[in-house]
């Protein structure tokens, strides 16, 4: 099992450009999450999904869109990138039923917006 | 929403014990977690504690939960250089997507 994978690992964008970050998991997990990590602020939830075809807003959703067309994939889109979106983005997943509610994290995508 | 606070930095000598502290504002979390993040990597779950427990021990790790003071701590016994990482506490509720609220993270540096 590859677990949770994220594509790409690094990306540099210019202000106003768009891009899509891909998260894939091969563990048949129902729930998937997108976080951003900024220095001194921990991880903040952007959007999440509790199943194929469903998404919901997290703590900091503005400027991002998501789609969950397939159970194994969760896409994070930036329509018009801004320097404030420079961050490290983490995807996570977990099964719907889990004793300990553990989330499994991908390795992250480092995004720089100039 | 919940606020979760941690001190930003901790330095210890190899072989000593490390204690990483976390305070939170919302006492409704069902579970409280400690995650470890090594450089350039994602987060890995270290251990967790149910909110109805006071203590949990798992090999070198001891988690203490003081619900009255809304304080969570992680003690690492016999700290090794491989323990150098950022440690995040997090609170989680069951239901509603089982979202987690993370603390700001504590960078642990283990010196020889």
């Amino acid at each position: 099992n590859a677990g949770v994978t994220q594509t790409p690992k690094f990306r540099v964008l210019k202000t106003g450009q768009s891009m899509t970050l891909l998260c894939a998991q091969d563990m048949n997990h129902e729930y998937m999450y997108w976080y951003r990590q900024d220095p001194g602020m921990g991880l903040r939830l952007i959007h999440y999904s509790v199943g194929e075809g469903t998404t919901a807003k997290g703590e900091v959703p503005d400027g991002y869109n998501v789609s969950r067309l397939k159970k194994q994939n969760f896409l994070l889109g930036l329509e018009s990138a801004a320097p404030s979106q420079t961050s490290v983005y983490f995807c996570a997943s977990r099964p719907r039923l889990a004793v300990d509610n553990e989330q499994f994290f991908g390795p992250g995508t480092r995004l720089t917006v100039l | 929403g919940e606020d979760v606070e941690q001190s930003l930095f901790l330095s210890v000598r190899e072989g000593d014990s490390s204690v990483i502290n976390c305070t939170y504002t919302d006492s409704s979390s069902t579970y409280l977690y400690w995650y470890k993040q090594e450089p350039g990597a994602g987060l890995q779950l270290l251990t967790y504690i149910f909110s109805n427990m006071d203590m949990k021990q798992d090999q070198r790790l001891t988690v203490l939960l003081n619900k009255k003071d809304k304080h969570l701590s992680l003690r690492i016994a016999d700290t090794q250089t491989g323990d150098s990482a950022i440690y995040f506490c997090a609170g989680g509720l069951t239901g509603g997507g089982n979202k987690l609220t993370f603390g700001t993270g504590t960078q642990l540096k283990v010196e020889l």
Side-chain angles (χ1 to χ4, degrees):
Chain A
N1 284 355
V4 181
T5 58
Q6 293 183 231
T7 309
K9 289 187 169 49
F10 303 93
R11 185 72 185 268
V12 178
L13 290 178
K14 294 181 179 178
T15 297
Q17 287 185 315
S18 63
M19 78 162 294
T20 300
L21 283 67
L22 171 64
C23 176
Q25 51 93 6
D26 60 1
M27 298 174 283
N28 203 35
H29 288 170
E30 287 83 4
Y31 292 6
M32 296 186 75
Y33 307 84
W34 274 110
Y35 295 91
R36 59 177 290 172
Q37 182 183 22
D38 301 293
M41 299 187 76
L43 274 75
R44 292 181 292 168
L45 183 65
I46 304 171
H47 286 280
Y48 66 100
S49 168
V50 298
E52 184 178 324
T54 70
T55 63
K57 294 180 180 179
E59 184 186 355
V60 288
D62 294 341
Y64 305 95
N65 57 74
V66 287
S67 64
R68 183 98 182 268
L69 298 178
K70 294 182 180 180
K71 186 177 184 179
Q72 63 267 35
N73 295 337
F74 195 27
L75 279 64
L76 178 71
L78 286 73
E79 290 183 350
S80 179
S84 60
Q85 294 178 303
T86 293
S87 188
V88 182
Y89 292 85
F90 287 99
C91 176
S93 72
R94 54 149 283 168
R96 183 172 61 85
L97 296 175
V99 171
D100 58 11
N101 278 353
E102 178 183 358
Q103 291 185 13
F104 296 81
F105 282 81
T109 294
R110 185 174 293 275
L111 176 67
T112 301
V113 183
L114 303 175
Chain B
E2 173 152 31
D3 284 330
V4 184
E5 297 285 338
Q6 299 178 238
S7 54
L8 287 180
F9 191 76
L10 175 66
S11 179
V12 300
R13 290 184 183 270
E14 188 177 41
D16 288 349
S17 292
S18 309
V19 179
I20 303 171
N21 295 301
C22 174
T23 57
Y24 55 95
T25 57
D26 186 347
S27 59
S28 60
S29 292
T30 309
Y31 305 87
L32 293 143
Y33 304 87
W34 284 103
Y35 278 83
K36 177 183 180 183
Q37 183 184 32
E38 296 185 353
L43 279 69
Q44 286 186 300
L45 180 66
L46 270 183
T47 186
Y48 68 94
I49 188 168
F50 289 106
S51 59
N52 62 358
M53 297 170 65
D54 298 322
M55 186 183 84
K56 180 180 180 181
Q57 186 146 7
D58 184 359
Q59 299 182 331
R60 292 191 297 124
L61 306 177
T62 303
V63 180
L64 295 177
L65 175 60
N66 182 327
K67 290 182 284 292
K68 176 176 172 288
D69 295 337
K70 298 182 182 176
H71 183 264
L72 181 73
S73 68
L74 173 69
R75 178 177 180 269
I76 305 173
D78 187 25
T79 312
Q80 303 297 308
T81 54
D83 295 323
S84 293
I86 301 176
Y87 291 80
F88 291 93
C89 64
L93 294 168
T94 52
N98 298 97
K99 300 185 290 292
L100 296 179
T101 300
F102 284 87
T104 48
T106 298
Q107 172 128 30
L108 173 65
K109 182 178 179 183
V110 182
E111 299 175 325
L112 296 172

